[in-house]
Amino acid sequence: MLAKETDKPFDDKDWIFEIKWDGYRAIAEVNKNNTELYSRNGNSFNNTYPVIFNALKKLNLNVVFDGEIVVLNEAGRSDFQKLQHYEDNTNFPLCYYVFDILAINGQPTYDIPLLERKALLREAFKDSDEIRYSEHIAMRGEDFFKAAVNQNLEGIMGKEASSHYYPGKRTNNWLKIKHHKTAEVVIVGYTAPAGSRHFFGSLVLAVKGEDGLQYAGHTGSGFDEKRLQDMYNLLKPLVVKKSPFREAVKTNGPVTWVKPILIAEIKFTEWTTDKKMRHPIFLRLRDDKNLETINMETTPTKMKSATEKPAADTKEKEISFGKIKVKTTNLTKVFWPKEKITKGMVIDYYQQVASYILPYLKDRPQSLKRNPNGITDKGFYHKDAGDDAPSWVKSKKIYSESTKKDIDYIICNNKQTLAYLNNLGCIELNPWNSRIQSMDKPDYMIIDIDPSSKNTFSQVVEAALVCKEILDKAKAACYCKTSGATGIHIFIPMGKKYDYEQVKDFAHIVCTMAAEMLPDSTTLERSLSKRSDKKIYLDYLQNRRGQTVASVYSLRPHPGASISTPLDWAEVKEGLDPAAFNLNTIFERIKKKGDLFKPVLGKGVDLNKCLENLGG
């Protein structure tokens, strides 16, 4: 259940108020057979925060909790920066503050009023160092907010005492009231708009530092359509070619730079440890201010990242993951000449999207496609980890029938390995369909709808919908994504219940039926020389041991910096543009849609029943 935001605290006898914890929202499912701790998007926290996970496992309960994982700093306040870099802050207390109970002894509690749910929660367990009950006060929201401000907390939550729990819904029954700060910053650029937004996406912001302008974050919040247009009209005449920063900075897309003369007042929650604004929102332009008269009392005086140590040559950077240091090089090398996207931006993208892509890479051998000179270079495939891979990079030796020798495949389970692979020039990531724990039993089946150069994307959409029609008849759940190029990939969860041959045979049946329904535009003929160049190849052979396709959320080395992106089936229709899913648009989409691909890793279909449903 999600909260809407309101600007002012209030008193109300029908409401309760809690601390707004500054951490990661987490659901805990606890019973004697299994324990799971995961984010609101379904990403597992079991291995990320083992202290919490192990404490939950020790509870002799059958419950589902909703709460927040936090790190408490020296002042006893939740500190998001320390949590985000917990590997460097393990000396600080890690806690799971539980504020709701969603089920007890197998019975959902959604329809029980909030205060009764909290009473059940309070009775369910005793506080420990790791798991704590999140207290509340009744009615006195204004005084509680003042106390939160005095303690420099993020803010408070207001909740209607009689409200039910609405999973996945953002309602007025829960309200967040934040404690914001403001600062005066200079606008130095803007990013392109995405989706239905016009004029620009975000403003790129800077403050004065010891060595010139220093990057302070970016914001697209605080604008209606008129304010977007008015700001764009002011920015357009100020466009320049060169960045004002001495080193590459991480933004949410390629930047159009402008002369640094417009001053904005920004509302935000806090300065992060690397001196950027958290949750910045545009308030207004300060026409009475210029770069020389910015209020320096509200801006940081030094801009040094706590986790990134620039070398003397700013083309290199060392990224810290606890005790592990990953050296990244040639960060300013241009990988996409037209879009001016650099190698450093690729590394930054994968670090930002890590929590989404890693579940689909975890424990899977990687077939590395390397483009160390960017998309204009054909690149090469690299499978063996070799002697150059650091000792902390996990790998698995697997015998290859084609080469008649063992190949030491890299396994990408964490952010540091992601950074290492990206630094090698891996723009895209290509995992196996199975994991090393069950090498011969894939987690999913893939139908690769692969068009020729003379097919339209409308024909690709038509083929995808026909495949879905067949799979619906089989009652086989299926999920799709753009390939990141010109095709569509359809995934059917298998749950490690069948071997590759069985999965391939079922894929063959589905593709054969689809080709019979679309004989003029599709084929199962793999050979380019034998098939018509006007036909789409329905590739069922991707379901062989060792075959790979680009992972969901993987960048592709194609013009436009396209990304293999999950789709709602409702989006698969005439007019769908695969180029719309790219580095500029992906984060706004994830924010809006969440992870649409999560069910792909579910328990899987029953192939016998699917075949029966198809009349087999």
Side-chain angles (χ1 to χ4, degrees):
M1 183 167 170
L2 303 172
K4 291 189 176 180
E5 189 167 344
T6 187
D7 288 334
K8 295 181 180 180
F10 56 93
D11 291 344
D12 192 311
K13 63 181 178 61
D14 296 323
W15 285 66
I16 66 169
F17 300 91
E18 301 169 341
I19 291 173
K20 187 180 188 305
W21 300 107
D22 196 6
Y24 285 131
R25 184 83 174 271
I27 298 293
E29 297 182 11
V30 183
N31 60 61
K32 65 180 181 179
N33 297 319
N34 189 43
T35 295
E36 294 292 337
L37 180 67
Y38 53 88
S39 72
R40 55 184 275 192
N41 293 320
N43 297 316
S44 176
F45 283 147
N46 294 356
N47 296 325
T48 311
Y49 303 112
V51 172
I52 304 298
F53 178 65
N54 290 331
L56 289 166
K57 287 173 65 176
K58 293 177 183 176
L59 296 176
N60 186 25
L61 297 173
N62 182 357
V63 294
V64 179
F65 290 147
D66 190 356
E68 194 101 358
I69 297 172
V70 302
V71 166
L72 301 180
N73 63 17
E74 299 90 337
R77 294 191 288 266
S78 56
D79 190 320
F80 185 80
Q81 290 299 305
K82 284 183 169 52
L83 178 64
Q84 196 173 37
H85 304 291
Y86 180 61
E87 66 275 8
D88 296 326
N89 294 285
T90 54
N91 55 314
F92 290 94
L94 181 70
C95 308
Y96 181 40
Y97 274 98
V98 184
F99 49 70
D100 216 324
I101 189 166
L102 312 187
I104 187 165
N105 297 326
Q107 297 299 312
T109 58
Y110 298 154
D111 294 333
I112 297 175
L114 173 62
L115 274 184
E116 293 182 31
R117 295 200 308 273
K118 292 207 72 170
L120 287 172
L121 177 64
R122 178 68 287 182
E123 294 172 4
F125 71 98
K126 293 182 179 179
D127 284 359
S128 65
D129 290 340
E130 299 86 7
I131 306 172
R132 306 181 186 184
Y133 174 78
S134 186
E135 300 282 356
H136 65 269
I137 68 165
M139 189 173 72
R140 298 171 56 199
E142 293 185 15
D143 287 344
F144 193 52
F145 183 75
K146 288 177 184 177
V149 170
N150 290 337
Q151 291 295 316
N152 198 29
L153 301 179
E154 187 183 5
I156 66 172
M157 298 292 300
K159 299 179 179 180
E160 192 171 7
S162 61
S163 62
H164 295 170
Y165 192 98
Y166 302 100
K169 302 293 185 182
R170 191 178 300 278
T171 79
N172 287 318
N173 301 114
W174 286 13
L175 297 172
K176 51 187 174 183
I177 309 149
K178 291 184 178 180
H179 168 212
H180 294 288
K181 300 179 176 69
T182 64
E184 295 160 6
V185 299
V186 60
I187 300 170
V188 296
Y190 61 91
T191 61
S196 60
R197 191 179 178 106
H198 299 108
F199 303 110
F200 65 89
S202 297
L203 298 178
V204 181
L205 310 173
V207 295
K208 289 192 295 185
E210 294 176 344
D211 300 315
L213 288 176
Q214 304 289 341
Y215 177 59
H218 57 265
T219 181
S221 301
F223 296 92
D224 55 23
E225 190 72 2
K226 184 178 185 306
R227 292 182 100 184
L228 281 170
Q229 184 172 8
D230 291 344
M231 178 62 74
Y232 182 73
N233 291 340
L234 289 172
L235 293 171
K236 198 171 180 181
L238 302 178
V239 170
V240 295
K241 293 183 178 180
K242 190 176 179 182
S243 165
F245 304 125
R246 299 179 65 181
E247 61 186 70
V249 298
K250 185 192 322 184
T251 64
N252 60 348
V255 178
T256 299
W257 303 107
V258 299
K259 293 179 182 178
I261 60 175
L262 294 178
I263 307 301
E265 185 175 356
I266 302 294
K267 178 171 66 172
F268 65 109
T269 52
E270 65 175 357
W271 291 109
T272 64
T273 54
D274 55 346
K275 306 305 180 186
K276 295 178 182 62
M277 289 180 290
R278 190 157 187 250
H279 303 138
I281 300 172
F282 177 84
L283 290 179
R284 61 187 67 85
L285 283 174
R286 291 297 302 264
D287 297 330
D288 58 332
K289 295 279 187 175
N290 57 43
L291 189 56
E292 285 68 39
T293 58
I294 289 179
N295 180 5
M296 294 302 294
E297 291 181 358
T298 59
T299 60
T301 57
K302 192 175 183 181
M303 304 290 290
K304 183 178 179 182
S305 169
T307 59
E308 300 176 358
K309 300 176 182 177
D313 178 2
T314 56
K315 295 179 182 179
E316 298 183 356
K317 180 172 66 176
E318 186 178 77
I319 310 176
S320 297
F321 300 92
K323 295 179 180 179
I324 295 172
K325 315 294 182 186
V326 181
K327 184 179 180 181
T328 56
T329 58
N330 299 317
L331 299 179
T332 57
K333 179 181 283 189
V334 176
F335 272 12
W336 278 264
K338 182 179 178 181
E339 295 83 2
K340 294 182 172 54
I341 295 172
T342 65
K343 178 182 177 181
M345 292 177 183
V346 171
I347 294 171
D348 287 342
Y349 163 71
Y350 278 108
Q351 290 300 299
Q352 291 182 72
V353 82
S355 63
Y356 288 91
I357 195 172
L358 283 174
Y360 304 98
L361 304 179
K362 183 176 172 60
D363 293 333
R364 301 180 191 278
Q366 292 290 320
S367 181
L368 308 182
K369 170 72 186 314
R370 294 175 60 180
N371 294 82
N373 295 311
I375 70 168
T376 57
D377 175 13
K378 289 184 179 180
F380 58 94
Y381 279 93
H382 167 194
K383 294 184 178 180
D384 207 304
D387 296 332
D388 293 334
S391 59
W392 45 263
V393 170
K394 186 175 181 179
S395 63
K396 173 74 173 179
K397 287 186 177 181
I398 302 171
Y399 183 74
S400 168
E401 288 289 346
S402 60
T403 63
K404 303 301 180 184
K405 66 177 184 179
D406 285 338
I407 294 176
D408 197 17
Y409 283 91
I410 286 177
I411 311 296
C412 183
N413 287 358
N414 48 50
K415 293 175 75 173
Q416 53 263 40
T417 306
L418 261 182
Y420 170 72
L421 294 179
N422 300 149
N423 192 57
L424 290 178
C426 294
I427 291 174
E428 71 178 35
L429 297 166
N430 300 277
W432 278 34
N433 299 359
S434 56
R435 303 181 193 232
I436 55 177
Q437 295 89 345
S438 50
M439 295 295 302
D440 296 314
K441 293 188 175 181
D443 292 273
Y444 39 75
M445 180 181 98
I446 300 174
I447 296 175
D448 182 2
I449 301 174
D450 185 11
S452 73
S453 59
K454 293 188 178 180
N455 290 119
T456 65
F457 198 71
S458 293
Q459 290 176 308
V460 173
V461 166
E462 181 184 31
L465 292 176
V466 165
C467 288
K468 184 177 189 301
E469 181 182 338
I470 295 165
L471 291 164
D472 285 348
K473 183 180 178 182
K475 296 185 179 177
C478 59
Y479 307 86
C480 69
K481 66 182 180 72
T482 64
S483 69
T486 57
I488 284 178
H489 295 155
I490 300 175
F491 280 56
I492 300 89
M494 290 287 136
K496 300 185 286 290
K497 293 187 287 188
Y498 308 98
D499 62 32
Y500 273 104
E501 197 66 24
Q502 292 169 308
V503 173
K504 177 171 67 68
D505 287 347
F506 182 56
H508 189 194
I509 291 169
V510 174
C511 290
T512 299
M513 294 176 70
E516 289 172 352
M517 294 171 70
L518 296 171
D520 295 332
S521 61
T522 65
T523 180
L524 269 65
E525 176 55 60
R526 184 176 182 84
S527 172
L528 287 170
S529 61
K530 294 180 181 179
R531 76 174 187 249
S532 166
D533 62 0
K534 295 181 181 179
K535 287 193 174 183
I536 294 168
Y537 175 42
L538 300 179
D539 188 355
Y540 65 92
L541 294 175
Q542 292 291 1
N543 301 286
R544 294 180 296 178
R545 192 176 190 266
Q547 291 293 115
T548 63
V549 300
S551 172
V552 65
Y553 303 115
S554 173
L555 269 164
R556 301 298 305 276
H558 299 294
S562 54
I563 290 172
S564 185
T565 304
L567 300 171
D568 278 321
W569 275 110
E571 297 176 288
V572 184
K573 59 186 179 181
E574 182 70 30
L576 178 66
D577 180 8
F581 306 96
N582 55 56
L583 194 57
N584 287 329
T585 62
I586 187 66
F587 288 109
E588 188 63 31
R589 181 175 175 82
I590 289 174
K591 182 179 178 182
K592 180 180 178 181
K593 296 278 190 179
D595 183 11
L596 296 174
F597 230 51
K598 182 184 173 185
V600 165
L601 301 179
K603 69 175 184 177
V605 302
D606 184 326
L607 281 187
N608 290 325
K609 289 183 179 178
C610 289
L611 291 170
E612 288 175 11
N613 294 331
L614 290 176

